[in-house]
Amino acid sequence: MKMNEATDDFWLMGMAAFLGAFLLFQVQPIMGKALLPWFGGGASVWIACLLFFQVALLVGYLYAHLLAQVPKPRHAVLIHIVVVVAALISLPILPSVDWKPKGVAAPVWGILKLLVAHIGLPYVLLASTSPLLHYIFHRAHPDRSPYRLYVLSNLGSLLALIAYPFLIEPFVSLKIQGHFWMLGLGLFAALMAWVSWFRWGRVSMLASREVGAGAGTTFEKNGKQLVLSLITWVVLAAIPSALLMTTTTHLCTNIAPIPFIWIALLAAYLLSFIFSFDHPRWYSRRIFFPLFFVAVFVMALLGSEQRANLSVWIAIPATLAAFFVVCMVMHGELARLKPLGRGVTWFFLAISTGGALGGISIAVVAPWLFSARYDYSLVLAVSSLLPFLVLLLHRSSALDRQWVRISMAAASGISAIFAIAVTMQLADMVGESVVSTRNFYGTLRVVDEGSGEDRARSLIDGVIDHGSQFLSPPRDHWVTTYYGENAGIAMAMQAIRTRGPLKIGVIGLGAGTLAWYGRRGDRFDIVEINPDVVDIAKKQFSFISDSEAETRIILGDGRLAFERLSHGSYDLIAVDAFSSDSIPVHLLTKEAFGLYFDKLKSNGVLCVNVSNRFLDLAPVVMGASLSLGREAWVIKDSGDLGKGLTGSTWVVVVNPKDSKELEAIRRTGKANGSVPRVWTDDHSSLMGLLRY
């Protein structure tokens, strides 16, 4: 009978663990997507969200740990039910427009404040579920291991992440996603209340029996074993967490802030937890230790600037596979050291502490400490040493042979040296830069390259050139990169030049190249979200100072800033707001294009730079334009490297009723061959736009 009761409890609590974890990891991409439009749309928005999720997870685990210390189960149950009700009262989760930022100062704290206000309590409640259920199950059935609940929990998290980009995001609007999530939270609250009242509240008090790091060893609260175990747990959890954030930043910055990338990395992270805690057979040191050192080499190579131009179909799978192997080793060692008994809440608390410390070190400390992204390879260097150190601190038969110890030490040392060498290589590149800066919006370098009359200065964000200028006369007055005379933006400006003085709106400053096209009497309003870009464009390049036009630079997000500009006053608007090879999705929705057309004159022209190595964005621009009654033409320019001109693709959008002054654009441009896509603020998906 007791066996049947334990089985029933396992499946009941397993349902609660699965649903709680599913909701916990569904809300992450939902909130990330909701916040992207308000904070620049770049990878750093998701990194700030990850920081909140990790810290909130720590708070949830701490709450579970403290609740487990309440002497009388009924009292603990009542406390938890009050928290459940309070979490339901705090809904809804999607923020209102009142939360839109008014400026660009300290965006990390703005994001954290918004997340705390809208999902803080529900997230902490969901985060506390796994350790609480482990504790309840162990108290009710001390002869059964509770860690299969952890596997179900991670499985729920994994399915939530996989379902989002393939089954939810492409078909369900953001608003509906929020409504369904709240319904799921209501169901979870009812299930958790049932488990708490009828299972937790009725279990008898057990003798204080602690089982520590590794099955069958004593967990001494004040002994060295506890301290050593806690430190080991924290470190083994912190390294994968930090690596998750640095790898996410690298891929999202140099490819695109696609939820699929965030989700794929999180899925690999969770999958390693599932395998490690399901059964010891999944993690074999004999297999994974050699793979681990190969993985560190692969990640270091793929993370270097020189290797960032690899095909997306090589870079992403290789990075994911290597990242999974590293996480598998860290989490596999963590699983080998897991405790039983009341030590389980200490274990979960240590894991969440490590996750939070890893997140804080990358999202807060690293940008303040480093002017470039050294953290990626430095985390890899530390990772290289951990397996050997764990084996030394926690004795194992694997170290009985001297050749094993020597091999492990050599492999760890070589991998660490290689990762540090990549860091030093990046440091040399930064040292050779004229300027190097890093903030929430990205990492910028100003570099001088070439010699003689070909010597040029470039603004680099990630691996993408955002503007160049020759340094020797007369070439220093040439336009370069994406803005040559055959580029779509240049053709559009030339076509409307007969109107007289022009009023031009620009989203994205770069080196300020477009200002060169300004003539006496013209007015340029240029919106730029990154204050470092403004400083660099003014001090390191002369396009703005040499322009004959009146130039005004507005600091802020392009779309939010344009909402405050004059209606129907612009002859041309250029959207060129890239952050490395990614582009803010919220600037390409139907609502965004409606805003652009509202700010344009009736015969105004919209130009969108869709030059991108990995994403075919032309169908999105075409779709939004056609849905609002405009014509859209794709103009491709192959460039001329001898003149500093790179290939570009611009989409020029015009009013069908315009005069023949735009006939040249119609003759030169081509309709995109892909099926037009219409994105809205409530529904968009980058899946399907990746170039093969």
Side-chain angles (χ1 to χ4, degrees), residues 185-461:
L185 185 66
L187 178 61
F188 166 80
L191 183 59
M192 197 63 195
W194 177 277
V195 170
S196 299
W197 189 260
F198 291 101
R199 290 294 187 269
W200 187 8
R202 296 172 63 181
V203 298
S204 59
M205 291 292 290
L206 299 176
S208 179
R209 180 168 63 91
E210 304 294 341
V211 181
T217 58
T218 302
F219 189 77
E220 301 175 6
K221 288 187 176 180
N222 298 315
K224 293 182 179 179
Q225 181 66 36
L226 171 58
V227 175
L228 182 60
S229 295
L230 288 173
I231 292 174
T232 305
W233 296 338
V234 168
V235 173
L236 286 174
I239 296 301
S241 170
L243 194 58
L244 171 65
M245 299 188 77
T246 56
T247 307
T248 300
T249 300
H250 172 69
L251 290 181
C252 287
T253 299
N254 294 308
I255 297 178
I258 311 173
F260 170 74
I261 292 179
W262 316 338
I263 290 165
L265 287 167
L266 267 176
Y269 180 83
L270 288 171
L271 200 59
S272 67
F273 263 119
I274 293 173
F275 286 148
S276 299
F277 284 86
D278 177 61
H279 196 280
R281 66 173 174 267
W282 292 112
Y283 174 65
S284 168
R285 286 173 170 171
R286 186 175 300 176
I287 295 174
F288 276 98
F289 274 2
L291 289 176
F292 172 83
F293 297 114
V294 173
V296 171
F297 274 91
V298 169
M299 292 192 73
L301 281 172
L302 294 175
S304 65
E305 298 290 329
Q306 289 81 0
R307 305 293 178 179
N309 59 353
L310 284 174
S311 165
V312 63
W313 302 109
I314 297 175
I316 292 181
T319 302
L320 280 174
F323 174 75
F324 170 76
V325 170
V326 173
C327 288
M328 193 68 192
V329 171
M330 300 296 173
H331 294 153
E333 293 298 323
L334 202 56
R336 291 173 68 96
L337 300 172
K338 65 181 182 291
L340 300 174
R342 286 196 168 186
V344 74
T345 58
W346 281 104
F347 180 65
F348 281 110
L349 188 59
I351 289 177
S352 60
T353 300
L357 290 176
I360 291 171
S361 66
I362 301 303
V364 178
V365 177
W368 172 76
L369 194 61
F370 303 130
S371 62
R373 298 196 187 279
Y374 300 120
D375 34 294
Y376 183 88
S377 49
L378 288 177
V379 171
L380 286 174
V382 175
S383 301
S384 303
L385 302 174
L386 277 185
F388 180 67
L389 293 177
V390 170
L391 289 176
L392 283 178
L393 293 173
H394 300 270
R395 300 295 295 179
S396 168
S397 59
L399 282 178
D400 288 346
R401 297 181 180 180
Q402 185 176 10
W403 72 268
V404 175
R405 295 196 297 270
I406 295 173
S407 299
M408 282 288 297
S412 295
I414 292 171
S415 299
I417 290 171
F418 181 74
I420 292 174
V422 173
T423 307
M424 298 305 294
Q425 186 181 42
L426 177 59
D428 289 340
M429 293 173 60
V430 172
E432 294 171 358
S433 302
V434 178
V435 174
S436 178
T437 68
R438 179 179 180 180
N439 62 13
F440 175 84
Y441 300 103
T443 302
L444 302 172
R445 292 187 298 118
V446 177
V447 298
D448 290 349
E449 296 177 315
S451 59
E453 63 178 10
D454 291 328
R455 187 165 180 77
R457 174 166 295 176
S458 301
L459 172 60
I460 308 295
D461 182 0

Side-chain angles (χ1 to χ4, degrees), residues 504 518-525 547-552:
I504 309 293
R519 298 295 178 261
R520 190 174 302 278
D522 290 348
R523 162 81 174 270
F524 274 67
D525 289 339
S547 176
E548 297 177 3
E550 176 189 353
T551 303
R552 179 175 64 148

Side-chain angles (χ1 to χ4, degrees), residues 657-674:
K657 300 178 181 179
D658 280 351
S659 64
K660 292 185 177 181
E661 64 181 351
L662 299 173
E663 189 62 33
I665 291 175
R666 293 187 176 94
R667 289 197 308 269
T668 305
K670 297 180 180 179
N672 187 271
S674 304

Side-chain angles (χ1 to χ4, degrees), residues 608-632:
V608 184
N609 186 355
V610 295
S611 308
N612 197 285
R613 295 180 299 165
F614 303 119
L615 298 170
D616 181 14
L617 297 170
V620 178
V621 178
M622 303 282 287
S625 303
L626 294 174
S627 68
L628 294 171
R630 298 299 201 276
E631 287 183 0

